[in-house]
Amino acid sequence: MANSPRRPVNPMDAAEALFKPAKKKAEPAVERPALPNTKELVSLKIDSDVLSFFQEDGPGWQDRINDILRAAMKNGL
């Protein structure tokens, strides 16, 4: 019966083994259903003239863009 040494044969290998990242299983992402009538913060690139058009009428321009996009969605565009 062979006994393993108290200390590793190669100290460099032992030191490197300590600093290796632990392999953990990634937990699957939990999909949650979207709440009805909620708004999400997104980043969207649009042309500056389109943005200016919607901002001309003042506050509420984001809602106006949302309304136009919803109408396009309902019309199948």
Side-chain angles (χ1 to χ4, degrees), residues 12-24:
M12 181 65 106
D13 290 341
E16 287 180 356
L18 289 174
F19 288 98
K20 284 186 180 176
K23 293 182 181 179
K24 295 182 181 178

Side-chain angles (χ1 to χ4, degrees), residues 3-77:
N3 291 334
S4 61
R6 283 186 70 157
R7 294 183 184 211
V9 176
N10 185 344
M12 181 65 106
D13 290 341
E16 287 180 356
L18 289 174
F19 288 98
K20 284 186 180 176
K23 293 182 181 179
K24 295 182 181 178
K25 277 189 173 180
E27 294 183 24
V30 177
E31 267 193 52
R32 295 185 177 114
L35 297 174
N37 300 323
T38 60
K39 297 191 180 199
E40 291 188 40
L41 179 64
V42 296
S43 176
L44 178 68
K45 290 187 177 188
I46 56 176
D47 294 333
S48 59
D49 58 331
V50 173
L51 180 61
S52 296
F53 173 80
F54 284 99
Q55 288 179 334
E56 282 176 355
D57 293 333
W61 60 271
Q62 293 167 322
D63 292 329
R64 289 189 291 277
I65 290 175
N66 192 62
D67 293 342
I68 296 294
L69 291 173
R70 182 171 305 284
M73 182 179 73
K74 288 182 179 179
N75 291 330
L77 298 178

